[in-house]
Amino acid sequence: MALVVDPTLKMVPDFAGNLYTGICADLKAATNQTGEEVVARLAEAWNADHDARVAEWNQDQEAEARVLAEAERARTVQENDEHIQREAEAEKERLEGEKKKPKMNSFNHASSVGNYLTPRPAQYAIQKLTNFEYVELWYFSPEGCKDALKSSRSVADNDLSITRTDDQLMLRPTSAFKASKAALADHELSFLIFLRAKNLFLIQISKAKWPQPNIDALSLFFWHLENHSIRNNSDIGDMVMLTYTSRIRQDWHDHLKRDEGFNIGNINENLI
């Protein structure tokens, strides 16, 4: 049984004192020793027992110290592990935040702005292209780009709406979701405006990273419409081509969404 009281704090009793007079007398009579010899024997026995208790006490203290040291070491290891884990999680969150944070690209110090500025379509049209959706060619016409510039000046900077992109909610200008009231269907354009609009449209779908086969098919589609013989052989040839454009492009997008896409570059003469 472990000792509770530190034995080193105890002093050898005064066996020659009055408290031990009776015991000493009994021991003198039983052993035929003198009083001094009896006191010495009692002190010797007490010291032997005391030394044994001190040794046991010291052994218990050393064992307890080892247990406490091991517990402290384990606590320190656990705290260090938790600290390392918190730092790793914080670094992971920081790196994820860096990935989501918008970054500005560098530039060529020897370059300058080009001689031609590409017209900027409405944010609404760009968003449609980013989502691979159908949008009228009017937005890429000179008139459509002028309308976009005028609208961007009239919309307040804090006029925002919420959208979901890659499972994340983001704030975007409300203009990115509103169609222009001035927009015209493809078949309502003049053929000259149609030609100018489709050129910017092809540039923008390339910037929106449409699949190259889709871009190539649309390029061929527009080339066939521009060079179709009906334009030279009929007074309504241009109107027929524009109507074909308006109907077929929208139908093409509908089929793509159903994963039933067809090659829009193959012109259906019967349908024309």
Side-chain angles (χ1 to χ4, degrees):
M1 183 177 179
L3 298 175
V4 178
V5 180
D6 185 358
T8 61
L9 301 177
K10 292 186 177 182
M11 303 296 292
V12 61
D14 182 12
F15 292 113
N18 294 333
L19 182 62
Y20 294 94
T21 299
I23 296 175
C24 288
D26 293 340
L27 290 174
K28 284 170 62 179
T31 61
N32 293 322
Q33 292 179 324
T34 65
E36 290 79 5
E37 290 175 332
V38 168
V39 169
R41 288 287 301 278
L42 289 173
E44 182 181 349
W46 187 92
N47 283 327
D49 179 69
H50 180 260
D51 290 344
R53 288 177 176 273
V54 169
E56 182 182 356
W57 172 265
N58 290 336
Q59 186 177 2
D60 290 346
Q61 292 302 302
E62 290 174 0
E64 183 178 351
R66 287 194 297 271
V67 171
L68 292 176
E70 180 62 25
E72 178 64 18
R73 188 194 69 80
R75 184 186 64 81
T76 301
V77 170
Q78 181 179 0
E79 288 181 350
N80 288 339
D81 290 343
E82 291 175 352
H83 178 69
I84 292 173
Q85 183 177 358
R86 287 195 299 270
E87 286 191 335
E89 291 175 352
E91 179 65 12
K92 181 180 178 181
E93 291 180 0
R94 186 188 68 79
L95 292 176
E96 289 178 351
E98 285 294 324
K99 291 180 181 178
K100 298 176 183 178
K101 183 179 179 181
K103 292 180 175 59
M104 178 177 285
N105 294 330
S106 183
F107 59 92
N108 184 348
H109 288 266
S111 64
S112 65
V113 65
N115 296 326
Y116 172 74
L117 295 179
T118 303
R120 184 184 295 274
Q123 185 63 34
Y124 166 81
I126 294 175
Q127 187 64 36
K128 285 284 190 179
L129 297 186
T130 302
N131 295 334
F132 306 123
E133 296 178 354
Y134 171 82
V135 63
E136 293 83 357
L137 290 175
W138 174 87
Y139 286 98
F140 307 94
S141 69
E143 188 63 31
C145 293
K146 289 179 183 178
D147 181 79
L149 181 61
K150 181 174 65 175
S151 299
S152 65
R153 291 173 178 171
S154 63
V155 175
D157 293 337
N158 60 351
D159 191 6
L160 303 173
S161 297
I162 299 177
T163 183
R164 180 180 292 275
T165 302
D166 296 332
D167 294 329
Q168 294 182 3
L169 295 179
M170 302 181 67
L171 290 175
R172 293 185 181 275
T174 300
S175 59
F177 307 95
K178 294 175 63 176
S180 172
K181 295 180 180 180
L184 299 175
D186 291 357
H187 59 273
E188 295 177 319
L189 301 175
S190 69
F191 205 84
L192 178 61
I193 295 300
F194 160 74
L195 293 178
R196 297 180 64 178
K198 62 93 174 172
N199 290 336
L200 181 57
F201 172 78
L202 291 173
I203 293 173
Q204 291 297 325
I205 62 174
S206 179
K207 289 183 177 180
K209 301 188 183 306
W210 282 31
Q212 191 59 46
N214 297 44
I215 297 176
D216 293 341
L218 284 167
S219 298
L220 183 61
F221 170 72
F222 290 133
W223 184 88
H224 281 310
L225 298 184
E226 181 180 358
N227 295 280
H228 199 281
S229 59
I230 195 174
R231 294 190 57 222
N232 298 321
N233 298 325
S234 173
D235 294 336
I236 61 171
D238 286 353
M239 184 180 66
V240 171
M241 291 295 95
L242 291 173
T243 302
Y244 185 88
T245 301
S246 182
R247 298 289 298 276
I248 298 306
R249 273 203 319 117
Q250 196 157 25
D251 188 61
W252 182 63
H253 278 278
D254 291 341
H255 276 74
L256 289 176
K257 288 181 179 180
R258 299 195 299 267
D259 198 19
E260 300 173 356
F262 56 84
N263 188 353
I264 193 172
N266 294 333
I267 302 301
N268 188 327
E269 296 294 339
N270 294 326
L271 189 58
I272 288 178

